Amino acid sequence: MARYIIRRLLQMVVTFIGATFVVYALMFANQNDPIQALAGDRPVSDNVRQVLTEQYHLNDPFVVQYGYYMRGLLTGDFGKTLTGRPIGDVMSDAWPNTIKLALLALFFATLFGIGAGLVAGLRRGSAFDNTTLALTLVVVGLPIIVLAPIAQLVFGVKLGWFPTTAGARPSLYGLILPALVLGAASTATMLRLTRASVAENVRADYVRTARAKGLSARRVVAVHVLRNSMIPVITLIGVDLGTLMAGAIITEGVFNIPGVGSKLLLGIQTEDGPLVVGFVSVLVVVFLVTNLLVDLLYAVLDPRIRYE
Amino acid sequence: MTYSNPYQQQWPNQPAPAAPVVAGWDDPNRGGWDTPTAAWSTPPSRARVNQPRSGEHLLDVRDLRVEFGTRDGVAHVVNGVSFHVDPGETLAILGESGSGKSVTAQAVMGILDTPPAVVRSGQVLFGGEDLLTVSADRRRQVRGQEIAMVFQDALSALNPVFPVGWQISEALRSRRGINKADARRRAIELMDMVQIPAAAERVDDYPHQFSGGMRQRVMIAMALAMRPKVLIADEPTTALDVTVQAQIMDLLATLRAELEMALILITHDLGVVADVADRITVMYAGRVVEHADVHTLYAQPAHPYTRGLLASVPRLDHRGHGLHSISGTPPNPAAIPDGCAFHPRCPWAQQVCRMTAPTLVRIGRLDRASACHFPPEALDARLA
Ligand SMILES: Nc1ncnc2c1ncn2[C@@H]1O[C@H](COP(=O)(O)OP(=O)(O)O)[C@@H](O)[C@H]1O
Ligand code: SF4
Ligand SMILES: [Mg+2]
């Protein structure tokens, strides 16, 4: 197990370098004149241009620039945005909001997805099963860019149950609707997977054995059926995290949440290379670490999985 | 052979069935046929098997009928099965795959999925109490505690994600409320009892870490955790190789004797139960077609189906040949033939067999019966 973790960590380093390198390359290859982009429409004097070029190593070869950047990252220095704000500060503003939003979305997805999936799987063919099937088809069919404004309009504006936008310092309550929207697709896939998994496992031989022991129906479902049905669902959570991150950009945009998504969007729009690369680097790390955790959790849930 | 067996004539190349190792099997002085040598054309009046009074046996299953609602119509899987067992006794239930043995066992345990299964009628008397009419709670109480079951494929019948010791003692923890440490100790004791080596080290291992034979021992230990009075073993050795089969059978026989249990051994292989069974009930298409004590059944099988099964008992060096001696396959339970369900495959079949179903009638000695229109000596005479 320890060897496996070490190998995975080494792989993560390679992946991290590769991913940041690609993003860095894309961001910097694409921009014509970062200094002009920084200044907007105003003219830039040669003096200023020279200082900025020095500061950002703009004359060095691309690989050297990347090297400088990585050195900064390793010492915890994300650099500055083109507007001069330390990216570290931007991060510490944005990340808590996004983490809250993502965890809330994951919580709702897990709660509703697994809960409803379990009931649907136990009562196949019931009204509940059919209703959730129809609902999940709708949700899976609607891209979040459509779903988010609709939810905002219906539950925020029309019904007024939730604030329409989260505001600069979003409260947990203000994040509920965005989290539901963000987690909707995950809820749907988790529900379908749980249902399929439960439907298969209730017929498993070991469930029959559990009943033959005279265990209560509740224990048979909660311990034997659910435990085994969670194995594929846990893997899905790891995969879903990527979807969640992508969805966060849109959701945060629609609900005006000052999180990673909106900062990333802003960075892309203003061609702010350091900002984008900084955020993406952290996203890559988050993604890699969660996937490692999910894989380890998978081994805990299923003892047949052995990592060597 | 003291009886004629047309199955060998159909397959001349097949070796004669080996004599199973049953005491007295070759004894020329053993009692011959019990039935009077009346001509088969004038059927002797034979009494129907009397149903014992309630409470007479530990487990007494009477006229059990189970159907399945399927897309192709109603599948009549169990059609009036009766048998009984008493403490310290081993009953084998024998029949080809698909004859309804497992469904019968699951109906007795009360673990059939309903729907699709429907228990149409019958009684499952445990100590005189009809389990088919008691409350669900009482039913669950009996399950595992009074009547326990060992399943065929231990790999799939054990939960892959829990340690074996945990699974063995689960019922004790959940139903008797004993604490974790005691449960673990009990699990080790039970694993010792079923002769799993190094039980104390292996108690926390998972099912996939055991060999097939050891997994089946785990299953047995789990079934015995609550000290049941009746143990039903549904093809407990089918997935195992020959030497391990014999060990598991020995273990079951030993445990049955030590714990004074009633053992019901379900099998499609007459060979594996020869040494351990006291009585044998033969099932075909969801009916009991013959039952007798093991010696009589081997020496003088009454029903043509039993004769076919016996002809196909492989010798040790021919094991695995299965039931090739009987041509054809068992009927689909949704379309059981009229008359005698066995008639399409029966070398003795007559017109009467296609028209009317034979009932289970006693042959001579008590507790020996066959469901065939023709008594054994008539079958012998016909092929002589
Ligand atoms: N859930 C079910 N639905 C429909 N038919 C079933 C079901 N379970 C068993 N059967 C039918 O019952 C018959 C007997 O099954 P089973 O008791 O498993 O036979 P055996 O154990 O003697 O091999 C089979 O023909 C099978 O098709
Ligand atoms: S009743 Fe007829 S068909 Fe059925 S077993 Fe006897 S002889 Fe064969
Ligand atoms: Mg079976």
Side-chain angles (χ1 to χ4, degrees):
Chain A
M1 194 65 152
R3 281 184 55 190
Y4 172 78
I5 296 176
I6 291 169
R7 212 179 59 218
R8 277 292 296 269
L9 289 173
L10 289 177
Q11 282 172 1
M12 278 166 59
V13 170
V14 176
T15 318
F16 176 74
I17 292 173
T20 48
F21 187 82
V22 168
V23 179
Y24 196 83
L26 282 175
M27 230 27 234
F28 284 80
N30 227 0
Q31 65 193 179
N32 316 321
D33 185 353
I35 297 172
Q36 190 60 60
L38 173 68
D41 294 336
R42 283 169 296 151
V44 182
S45 73
D46 281 354
N47 232 349
V48 171
R49 182 172 287 276
Q50 201 182 340
V51 171
L52 286 174
T53 304
E54 293 268 296
Q55 187 185 339
Y56 293 110
H57 314 287
L58 290 181
N59 274 344
D60 289 333
F62 164 71
V63 180
V64 178
Q65 290 187 37
Y66 175 72
Y68 278 120
Y69 181 72
M70 286 306 282
R71 201 183 59 192
L73 269 194
L74 290 183
T75 56
D77 176 16
F78 287 98
K80 287 186 175 142
T81 64
L82 290 182
T83 53
R85 203 173 159 216
I87 294 179
D89 289 359
V90 183
M91 293 237 180
S92 54
D93 281 351
W95 272 106
N97 290 331
T98 298
I99 288 173
K100 267 190 250 167
L101 179 67
L103 286 183
L104 208 56
L106 210 55
F107 171 75
F108 285 136
T110 314
L111 186 73
F112 297 136
I114 293 176
L118 176 65
V119 176
L122 291 176
R123 306 199 187 139
R124 292 177 304 283
S126 67
F128 182 84
D129 187 23
N130 291 325
T131 314
T132 52
L133 174 64
L135 275 177
T136 50
L137 285 178
V138 170
V139 167
V140 169
L142 276 182
I144 196 160
I145 193 108
V146 178
L147 195 63
I150 293 179
Q152 192 181 36
L153 183 70
V154 175
F155 298 105
V157 180
K158 286 268 158 61
L159 296 173
W161 291 352
F162 300 98
T164 40
T165 57
R169 293 243 162 268
S171 66
L172 209 56
Y173 184 67
L175 286 176
I176 287 181
L177 187 60
L180 284 171
V181 168
L182 178 57
S186 297
T187 311
T189 43
M190 226 177 264
L191 195 159
R192 296 320 300 166
L193 191 64
T194 306
R195 181 205 180 270
S197 198
V198 166
E200 186 190 316
N201 284 327
V202 287
R203 276 179 295 211
D205 286 355
Y206 58 78
V207 171
R208 191 187 54 191
T209 309
R211 281 194 285 147
K213 286 186 201 174
L215 304 177
S216 65
R218 174 184 294 243
R219 186 177 168 94
V220 170
V221 168
V223 175
H224 290 271
V225 176
L226 198 58
R227 173 67 154 68
N228 285 274
S229 304
M230 281 309 95
I231 295 171
V233 178
I234 290 293
T235 326
L236 182 75
I237 292 179
V239 177
D240 262 7
L241 203 81
T243 328
L244 227 54
M245 293 294 177
I249 298 186
I250 296 161
T251 315
E252 289 181 4
V254 171
F255 291 97
N256 205 12
I257 299 166
V260 170
S262 50
K263 287 288 176 290
L264 208 49
L265 196 64
L266 187 77
I268 294 168
Q269 279 163 354
T270 59
E271 295 189 10
D272 192 332
L275 185 70
V276 172
V277 180
F279 271 101
V280 170
S281 305
V282 178
L283 274 177
V284 169
V285 172
V286 169
F287 197 69
L288 289 175
V289 170
T290 359
N291 272 289
L292 176 62
L293 288 181
V294 165
D295 281 354
L296 296 182
L297 190 58
Y298 194 48
V300 172
L301 277 182
D302 189 344
R304 287 165 299 180
I305 310 267
R306 293 282 304 270
Y307 294 130
E308 317 266 290
Chain B
M1 293 283 120
T2 54
Y3 59 94
S4 62
N5 203 326
Y7 298 101
Q8 271 129 49
Q9 291 152 19
Q10 289 167 14
W11 275 268
N13 291 341
Q14 251 225 337
V21 195
V22 175
W25 145 259
D26 260 343
D27 183 0
N29 300 323
R30 69 166 148 42
W33 291 103
D34 301 305
T35 37
T37 50
W40 61 269
S41 48
T42 55
S45 63
R46 295 187 291 168
R48 292 200 55 171
V49 174
N50 287 326
Q51 301 285 12
R53 284 190 322 279
S54 149
E56 202 169 321
H57 297 292
L58 177 59
L59 178 69
D60 191 354
V61 175
R62 295 184 186 180
D63 196 35
L64 186 68
R65 286 170 200 274
V66 183
E67 298 169 1
F68 282 86
T70 68
R71 257 174 262 123
D72 321 328
V74 179
H76 300 272
V77 173
V78 179
N79 305 296
V81 164
S82 304
F83 59 84
H84 58 85
V85 268
D86 286 307
E89 184 188 39
T90 304
L91 170 74
I93 298 182
L94 179 72
E96 284 165 293
S97 166
S99 45
K101 307 181 298 293
S102 296
V103 171
T104 303
Q106 288 174 33
V108 170
M109 287 295 289
I111 54 172
L112 277 174
D113 283 319
T114 48
V118 184
V119 178
R120 262 292 157 244
S121 65
Q123 290 177 303
V124 176
L125 300 169
F126 177 76
E129 183 183 18
D130 185 358
L131 299 181
L132 296 182
T133 57
V134 299
S135 71
D137 274 350
R138 172 65 187 144
R139 195 83 215 270
R140 184 161 78 77
Q141 205 181 359
V142 171
R143 201 182 294 150
Q145 181 168 297
E146 310 288 353
I147 310 176
M149 189 159 170
V150 170
F151 297 95
Q152 172 176 342
D153 182 0
L155 182 58
S156 62
L158 291 169
N159 195 325
V161 305
F162 295 112
V164 293
W166 185 96
Q167 296 190 55
I168 289 172
S169 63
E170 184 183 10
L172 292 172
R173 278 178 288 116
S174 148
R175 299 181 59 185
R176 298 249 167 95
I178 74 171
N179 66 39
K180 265 193 174 161
D182 285 347
R184 201 184 133 89
R185 218 162 19 83
R186 282 293 296 143
I188 295 173
E189 280 170 25
L190 284 157
M191 285 168 77
D192 272 332
M193 188 171 80
V194 296
Q195 295 155 27
I196 295 175
E201 282 108 79
R202 305 222 61 188
V203 65
D204 294 324
D205 283 358
Y206 291 91
H208 71 272
Q209 292 167 297
F210 288 81
S211 68
M214 287 301 148
R215 269 198 293 265
Q216 196 53 272
R217 286 170 195 266
V218 169
M219 275 297 299
I220 294 170
M222 190 160 80
L224 297 180
M226 313 222 19
R227 282 290 149 90
K229 299 192 177 70
V230 180
L231 180 65
I232 304 176
D234 188 358
E235 314 232 7
T237 63
T238 302
L240 307 174
D241 61 46
V242 183
T243 43
V244 182
Q245 280 189 357
Q247 291 164 5
I248 297 288
M249 280 299 161
D250 280 352
L251 175 69
L252 283 171
T254 312
L255 291 171
R256 190 226 66 217
E258 277 176 10
L259 305 176
E260 293 248 303
M261 287 185 301
L263 177 62
I264 299 178
L265 262 180
I266 294 176
T267 180
H268 67 264
D269 186 353
L270 196 49
V272 301
V273 293
D275 298 337
V276 290
D278 298 310
R279 290 183 294 112
I280 298 191
T281 290
V282 183
M283 275 182 73
Y284 185 76
R287 292 186 181 88
V288 173
V289 294
E290 175 163 7
H291 74 82
D293 67 274
V294 67
H295 303 276
T296 311
L297 193 108
Y298 271 102
Q300 300 152 358
H303 196 277
Y305 180 60
T306 317
R307 292 182 179 202
L309 291 179
L310 209 54
S312 65
V313 172
R315 294 200 308 212
L316 222 54
D317 49 331
H318 283 93
R319 209 172 273 263
H321 280 254
L323 303 172
H324 298 305
S325 289
I326 308 173
S327 62
T329 51
N332 174 352
I336 294 178
D338 286 341
C340 174
F342 188 54
H343 83 251
R345 307 170 72 191
C346 178
W348 283 276
Q350 298 288 303
Q351 193 55 32
V352 60
C353 306
R354 292 181 254 290
M355 310 297 292
T356 47
T359 50
L360 193 64
V361 287
R362 187 195 295 172
I363 307 169
R365 192 194 288 168
L366 189 73
D367 217 18
R368 177 176 176 216
S370 161
C372 176
H373 287 303
F374 306 103
E377 68 277 10
L379 300 173
D380 291 341
R382 286 258 301 289
L383 284 163

